[in-house]
Amino acid sequence: MPRRRTSSSSSSTGSTTGTTAPTTAPRNRTPQPVRIRRRSFGDFVKAFFAFLALAVLLVGVPGALATQIGWPLPSGVPSLDWLQQEITVDTFLNILTVVVWLAWAQFTACVLVEMKAALSGVGVPGRVPGAGPSQLLARQLVAALLLVGATAASFTPGLSQLGQSGYDAHQKPTVASAQQTPGFFAQQQEQAADTAAALAEQASHAASHADAGGSTAKQGDTKYYRIQPPEGRHHDSLWEIAERHLGDGRRYKEIFELNKDRIQPDGSKLSEASLIRPGWIMEMPGDARGGELVEMPDEAPNVSPDVQQQIADYAQTGDHAQGGGSGAQGGGHEHAGGGPSASQVSLPEQRPAPDSGHQQATGVDAESESSFGLPEALLGAPLLAAGLLGALGRRRRQALWQSAFGAVGGRRGMEPPTPSGDAQDVQDALLVGADPEGVRLLDRSLRGLAASLAEESRALPVVYAAWLSNGDLHLQLAQPAGKPPAPWQQGQDQTFWMLARTDAERYEDVDTAAPYPGLVSLGTMDDSRLLLNLEAVPGIVSLSGREADRAAVFASVAAELATNGWSDRMTITLVGFGQDLTPLAPNRIRHLEDVEALVETMEAETRQRRGALGAAGHDSVLTGRTGPAQHTRWAPHLVLLAAQPSAEDAVKLAELAADASRLGIGYLVGTETGDLPGAAWEMEITGQGKLLAPLLGLELDAQLLPAAQQQAVVELFVDADPENRPEGDPANRPPFLVDISEQGRPAVYARLVGPYEIIGLDTPDGERSALLHEALALLLLHREGVHPRVLSSALWPRGVTDDVRNALLDRLRDWLGADPDGTPRLGTDGSGRLTLAKSVVSDLDVLRSLYHEATQGKGVGSRAVRGRLLTDALVLVRGPLLADRPEGRYRWLTHEIVDAQLPLLVADTGLALCEFHMEKNRAEKAIEALNAALRTAPADERLWHELLRATHATGDMSRLTSLATDLIGRSGARGLPPRTEALLDELLPTWRDAIAAVG
């Protein structure tokens, strides 16, 4: 389940990339999800009869003709009298024999063409003129014969060396890549897929054996690590070993595979990755780095002779000593226990190559536990989750600004509601499953491609689909479009363009329209994620299956289209949806009542788009998107019809969809029967969550959004709108209030507003101090509780194992300690979420409590109390939130709105204190309060307005002019906001002339 791909720390990444030699393996990797099953007895029977049929047709037929009838044509040139002779039985037989000879020649040509295409593994077989049924028969016979013929080739010495050069342990053979990328040309490729994949398997095995031989040659360079004894409650783990010495904790599997079932010095064996003992020896991958490693046991001065001997003995039990083929990197496939078997073509390497610290992975993948009740549908939909999470954050920020500037009366400083129940579970699932980095790279890659093609004056190619595999992006084109612009590369054939993740990360933001906004996730096939370009389909995409299953697919598609980050504008028309999804994106989504209204709307839309394209001189919307009007026109219109249309309406939709792809209109239509007129691509959703498209060669694990999750997601968006809150709701009340009296002094006090400091706890020792501080900050910002999965995904965006996370929680509990009554300061609530005791407090909690008490508590009835509380609150403000946080950490803050809440809270406090002082005409005190607030909220226009008024109240016009000059300098090319200009006109009518004279 792909999601955030940021490195766990900049230092670890840097060390990995800085010490590893770049690989020379070809990077033209394409998704390879088609598995090759083991050959059954029936396959051999089919192959035997196919061999007999080919022998009879290729050898028997010409042999029988030659021996029984002879050469049918005359030996010389016939005269005109020959045409006037009577047609005898012999003449008829001779003519028939000529026809049979011609048919045999045509069939032989078909066999040769099919055999060449199957064995070469490249491209689609050529078409023999006039040989439709004959070539189909030849294709089936050749495929059946080579089905087992390629498998038997593994016993042939010559084939065992096929593909030995040019591959490494992390690169799949090109022939396998060429035939196994799931795509929409699978029907034409399937006749050669089994053969090419089987040959590729032999090449892969040959390459792995070659690597094993190389490992033997370089046995002296093998590195070893000795498991360290525990320090306190911390025990060594394979994850942390991999993180320290390989730069990526997820590579612990390589260490496990290298050492599995080998005898350790104490006589036991490694059987589970989480069960290791001090004193054990671990052979490490060749690119391991770090001072604790031992390269040459006999040349290790700091290692005792006994340990040297143990390592030397252990080295003799490795695969390289036994002739195994796992290689120094753990092999190219999984061993027993869930991975592909030896008879299957292995998938693209799921971990990063030694020279890369990046990989498409998730915390979900690394966690073997259950999901603690979180919705699995959202945990496995990283792009959808990222879109929903980003849109939800924008909606909440918008609500905060509306409240702050009075768009919703009487609700200044509104605290967003804390979700509960299903909505809370869905929010946690979004936080765990979201992959915003993947969305960012996908968006930049597509826009970068469009910009590069525009620079070369080339049109955008029609893209049917995109595959995300290992972070690499593969575009499947409708037809060959020439050489792709750098850094894009040619894929498995001319209809695939590929961009490696490392190249995508070099892209910057470009000012160009989104070229393929209609891409939407449908599901995964063996860890490769398919995005279908709905607007490019030449006709309707139909979806059959049970109504509830179809609804879950439609909801997922609609939600991702409405919130995705790789499109600018679009219209999504929904018909037949039970849940109103408009709150997700009111500017994109519209619901229509029935199919009749849809047909009427789309007829008008189709006419309008045809006319607009003709007037602009474009043949399709793709050419228009790279032109001057790219930001204002040619946005896609995607129609999602979940209800079964009538036969008459289905025909009308088919007519409208016939030219839809050229116009940027896409149709996804549900059907109960699976038989829909005009359906270009037919899919079916099963009750087991499989999305099937047999004619396209697809069997996906479908991306779904079931009804319960739909409702919870919509609830999150509805609650984020302040206008939907009931009257009298205590919107201003903070979620956690502290006792601000002397008796309420906390046991642990964390200063988050400004540089991060903790009072009341000793600073943790070692490299885990940063993790403990970050975990505590996350818990302090979420007093309602934090799900363990959310905590682990925040601290380790690329994933972590259960034992590592649990060990950190144990250390966090020990660090925080317990209250005097023995209650641990880190506990769990009824839902299993982590919560902090009330004795653990942050300055942000105190700041909220002081402002609340000053404006809604004791300060309302006492001016002196209000002034003291507001002054105390403003003293707490030392800068932005977590001002000195290290680079690469606290990435989870991008999903929070506290970065918007804090400036508004500080601004509200400064404004309230300014008002307090101006009531007594203390302008200098008011200016001091406003300046203090501006240090944390420099962009708040309200603070500048009050600062202008307070400065004007001093009567110092030169000071007011200086302030106006400063404001103009801050505004830059955009100029002053209209309200600020109007206020200056009121307070300083000559401000324009004065500023012009100054500057």
Side-chain angles (χ1 to χ4, degrees), residues 373-389:
L374 298 185
E376 292 286 355
L378 291 172
L379 293 177
L383 304 184
L384 169 61
L388 288 171
L389 195 61

Side-chain angles (χ1 to χ4, degrees), residues 702-721:
Q703 180 171 294
L704 306 172
L705 188 59
Q709 278 79 64
Q710 293 178 48
Q711 184 174 356
V713 166
V714 172
E715 180 182 339
L716 287 173
F717 279 80
V718 170
D719 288 346
D721 188 348

Side-chain angles (χ1 to χ4, degrees), residues 753 846-847 850-851 867-879 902-903 905-914 917 925-937 943:
V753 184
V846 178
L847 176 61
L850 288 170
Y851 177 75
R868 177 175 55 82
L869 292 175
L870 291 173
T871 302
D872 291 345
L874 211 54
V875 168
L876 294 175
V877 180
R878 301 174 299 129
L902 178 60
L905 176 60
V906 172
D908 284 344
T909 304
L911 291 170
L913 188 56
C914 171
H917 287 303
K925 288 287 186 180
I927 292 173
E928 181 181 345
L930 292 170
N931 283 327
L934 280 168
R935 285 194 288 271
T936 298
L943 291 174

